[in-house]
Amino acid sequence: MDIGRLLARQRAFYAGGSAQRLPARLAALRRLEQAVRLREGGLLDALKADLNKSRMEGYMTEVGLVLEELRLLQRQLPRWMAPRTVPAPLAQLPAIGRIYPKPYGQVLVLSPWNYPVQLSLIPLAGAIAAGNTVILKPSEQAPATAAVLAAVLRDAFPPEQAAVVQGGRETGEELLRQRFDKIFFTGGPAAGRAVMAAAAKHLIPVTLELGGKSPCIVDETADIPLAARRIIFGKLLNSGQTCVAPDYVLVQEDKKEALTREMIRAIGVSFGPRPLQNPDLPRIVNRRRLDRLLQLLQGQTVLYGGGYREGALLLEPTLVDSPDPSSPLMTEEIFGPILPILPYRELREAVAFVNSREKPLALYLFSRDRARQRTVLGATASGGACINDTVVQLSAPALPFGGVGESGMGAYHGKASFDAFTHYRSVLYRGLGLDLPVRYPPYTGKKLALIRKLIK
């Protein structure tokens, strides 16, 4: 595909202005929703082919979230698009200020392989709702899903409004050489730096959704069986290949044995006594990533799991006991079904451990104590947080989702998606009937005293 030519067509389409009007935006969102519903089966089949996701997991964590986002965008878009009136200061009267939401223009969405449907279509939907044109580059590591996504966009849009460009690293690099008006990237910090560097050449604003080692703290007041089920649920979605999966557990030392026992039980309930034989165990995306995960386990004390099927790219849910904090297992984002468990004595030790590392994309705390919840939230920083559960904060479209520091910049979901792809243009309307001479030189006499009264 000629990327330059496609981008030129999108610029011409955007310049026409028709797609920026409210009825056109709503119609585009309806077409996208219809296309997703029409190809729901194909999307779920593709997720099975690429990642061995069950239809339940594929719908719950991908297709269903896209449909929910689309419904919210359609319902709220008229209100979000409305100009907002703000008062003018006394010194500028008679005047009134208005803030107009305006599209950026041409948007590039670079999406990853781990949740290839929702991490492509949710940002794309936000960009369309905001009145932009979009080029979507899905990951080549989920090829079956990328092909269905291309069909979804062909069903919903003319290519000059939104289109899929498929390809590998060279295609991504070619796209980053183009002059877009906004780039939205989901991936790892190293690739995020490369995207930001490319965008800086043209001063293109970016939203970076990255990752990091999301901690999970379990204190002595927690409901241990419930905490175990919810931690294992969040960790084993997509076999741990989730940017907000619990990356390690810090548990009060008196509760470590009980929590470990309950997590092993939860794994058995979810995937049976032989998880590698379970047809719904998601696979690791490729051999290189499986080899990396196996390398992370070298020299570790495995409490449960550790088995794998190399040819099938399957790795057992694995619990690791008290790894060295300086080991690669504890310094790199795991992105797999391996969960380290570390004890602590006092809550302040757990907080200090979290704060000694880069700011994570998510932080999880299991505690019945409201004061401790406030303490942990007040003393730490993370992109988002969830109390007494894991991962599910992503499914609340009213909550902006994004990182901080190494885990990303900018946010989306719901209103935040509209904001991510919108420039808020400020306009001051001045009246003609009053023109105070105090603003004009020469600045003599009592002008300064009068200005002090007007501007304070």
Side-chain angles (χ1 to χ4, degrees):
M1 179 180 289
D2 188 329
I3 292 171
R5 185 182 222 177
L6 175 60
L7 192 53
R9 289 177 64 189
Q10 291 201 344
R11 286 198 184 99
F13 179 83
Y14 178 82
S18 61
Q20 298 172 38
R21 302 185 184 100
L22 174 61
R25 296 191 201 185
L26 289 173
L29 292 171
R30 282 194 296 271
R31 292 197 306 272
L32 181 55
E33 181 182 355
Q34 290 165 0
V36 171
R37 291 188 184 280
L38 176 67
R39 296 192 180 270
E40 177 184 313
L43 289 167
L44 295 176
D45 289 344
L47 291 169
K48 182 72 173 178
D50 286 330
L51 294 159
N52 200 42
K53 289 189 182 183
S54 68
R55 297 179 79 81
M56 172 67 179
E57 184 170 332
Y59 188 87
M60 178 176 62
T61 66
E62 301 233 37
V63 176
L65 296 184
V66 172
L67 293 172
E68 186 174 24
E69 182 84 3
L70 284 166
R71 288 193 295 272
L72 176 67
L73 291 173
Q74 292 174 69
R75 187 168 63 250
Q76 298 293 341
L77 188 57
R79 183 167 63 88
W80 295 342
M81 280 185 64
R84 185 160 57 93
T85 301
V86 296
L90 180 63
Q92 295 177 356
L93 295 179
I96 193 169
R98 287 200 177 93
I99 301 171
Y100 294 89
K102 302 285 290 183
Y104 275 110
Q106 285 68 59
V107 169
L108 172 63
V109 174
L110 299 169
S111 65
W113 53 264
N114 59 326
Y115 288 86
V117 175
Q118 67 130 318
L119 296 181
S120 295
L121 294 183
I122 289 181
L124 180 139
I128 292 295
N132 301 277
T133 63
V134 186
I135 290 179
L136 167 65
K137 162 67 172 69
S139 173
E140 70 279 10
Q141 295 185 61
T145 307
V148 183
L149 287 171
V152 167
L153 264 64
R154 285 196 300 270
D155 292 344
F157 308 108
E160 55 267 26
Q161 184 174 16
V164 166
V165 171
Q166 297 188 62
R169 179 187 293 269
E170 290 182 0
T171 301
E173 291 172 349
E174 174 63 23
L175 284 165
L176 289 172
R177 283 192 285 270
Q178 306 300 315
R179 188 161 189 163
F180 288 89
D181 297 299
K182 176 69 187 273
I183 297 175
F184 188 103
F185 170 80
T186 304
R193 287 185 175 88
V195 169
M196 196 169 182
K201 295 177 182 177
H202 298 297
L203 295 179
I204 301 170
V206 297
T207 296
L208 302 178
E209 298 298 339
L210 307 178
K213 295 187 73 65
S214 296
C216 181
I217 301 173
V218 181
D219 79 2
E220 62 268 35
T221 73
D223 181 327
I224 296 299
L226 181 63
R229 288 197 301 273
R230 291 180 173 179
I231 292 168
I232 291 301
F233 168 80
K235 181 61 181 180
L236 297 186
L237 280 175
N238 201 27
S239 274
Q241 298 168 119
T242 303
C243 58
V244 292
D247 208 82
Y248 60 94
V249 173
L250 295 167
V251 57
Q252 205 281 330
E253 59 183 2
D254 292 341
K255 299 295 181 181
K256 178 173 176 284
E257 183 179 345
L259 181 69
T260 302
R261 183 173 60 250
E262 290 296 334
M263 287 198 292
I264 292 171
R265 180 176 295 154
I267 294 169
V269 170
S270 297
F271 293 100
R274 292 183 293 278
L276 294 177
Q277 305 302 318
N278 191 306
D280 290 335
L281 181 68
R283 65 169 160 263
I284 307 305
V285 68
N286 57 40
R287 174 67 181 272
R288 178 175 61 85
R289 290 185 180 270
L290 176 61
D291 289 344
R292 173 186 168 273
L293 292 170
L294 295 175
Q295 186 64 38
L296 291 178
L297 286 175
Q298 292 297 311
Q300 300 295 342
T301 301
V302 174
L303 296 169
Y304 177 87
Y308 60 95
R309 287 172 55 198
E310 200 167 39
L313 298 176
L314 295 175
L315 177 60
E316 255 184 332
T318 302
L319 305 180
V320 174
D321 187 24
S322 303
D324 185 332
S326 64
S327 67
L329 187 66
M330 289 302 298
T331 57
E332 301 175 12
E333 184 178 9
I334 294 171
F335 227 63
I338 303 169
L339 186 60
I341 305 169
L342 298 91
Y344 70 85
R345 289 188 296 273
E346 301 289 338
L347 185 61
R348 58 183 173 80
E349 297 174 16
V351 169
F353 188 90
V354 170
N355 287 338
S356 70
R357 293 162 182 256
E358 295 289 349
K359 297 171 184 175
L361 187 54
L363 180 145
Y364 303 110
L365 171 65
F366 286 84
S367 174
R368 287 189 172 100
D369 190 312
R370 294 293 181 88
R372 291 184 178 211
Q373 294 172 12
R374 290 191 295 269
T375 294
V376 171
L377 291 176
T380 58
S382 61
C386 186
I387 305 298
N388 291 321
D389 210 338
T390 65
V391 175
V392 295
Q393 72 274 16
L394 267 71
S395 62
L399 289 176
F401 171 66
V404 61
E406 282 280 311
S407 60
M409 62 178 66
Y412 72 123
H413 287 185
K415 176 64 160 52
S417 286
F418 181 81
D419 292 342
F421 298 101
T422 295
H423 166 64
Y424 285 90
R425 185 183 190 183
S426 299
V427 179
L428 182 70
Y429 293 88
R430 287 294 320 275
L432 303 177
L434 180 63
D435 191 37
L436 296 176
V438 69
R439 62 181 277 189
Y440 300 108
Y443 298 128
T444 58
K446 298 181 178 180
K447 285 188 175 182
L448 178 56
L450 182 56
I451 283 294
R452 286 184 186 279
K453 291 181 180 179
L454 292 173
I455 305 174
K456 56 183 178 179

